[in-house]
Amino acid sequence: MQGRKVFDPRDSSTAYSSNSALCIRDYLTNTSFGLGEPTARINDASFITAANICDENVSLTGSGTERRYRCNGVFETSETPKDVIKQLLSSCAGRL
């Protein structure tokens, strides 16, 4: 499953992404199933910083690397926004 295409304020692209910060931003701004916050109320500078941290490569024990934080879960639209945000934030040790 690829999930959903999300907006990336770093380069103004919209693409499939498991970047935790971008998924959180998408949930906050999405008018269909998210909180519908206007993008003018979103601090894109902080989301850009967070997205870059999520994309940092970290070394794995043994060999290789992987991205620092990824969001690879699902939620039901019947869940409370508080619970959804809590789940999303748990994918990156984040805070809002």
Side-chain angles (χ1 to χ4, degrees):
M1 180 183 336
Q2 266 188 313
R4 134 178 195 86
K5 291 182 179 182
V6 297
F7 177 75
D8 188 336
R10 297 176 293 183
D11 60 9
S12 297
S13 65
T14 300
Y16 293 110
S17 178
S18 59
N19 181 297
S20 297
L22 301 181
C23 292
I24 292 166
R25 185 190 182 283
D26 183 70
Y27 181 74
L28 292 174
T29 59
N30 187 282
T31 56
S32 298
F33 63 81
L35 297 180
E37 282 295 320
T39 56
R41 294 191 57 187
I42 301 297
N43 182 343
D44 276 336
S46 67
F47 276 96
I48 288 169
T49 299
N52 288 337
I53 291 169
C54 290
D55 280 344
E56 289 175 349
N57 284 320
V58 293
S59 297
L60 299 173
T61 304
S63 66
T65 62
E66 69 181 9
R67 302 293 174 123
R68 183 173 301 279
Y69 297 117
R70 287 289 172 248
C71 181
N72 290 306
V74 297
F75 63 86
E76 299 289 328
T77 55
S78 61
E79 294 180 61
T80 67
K82 181 179 179 180
D83 287 339
V84 173
I85 289 172
K86 186 176 178 181
Q87 291 173 52
L88 289 167
L89 290 171
S90 72
S91 71
C92 62
R95 291 186 319 231
L96 276 179

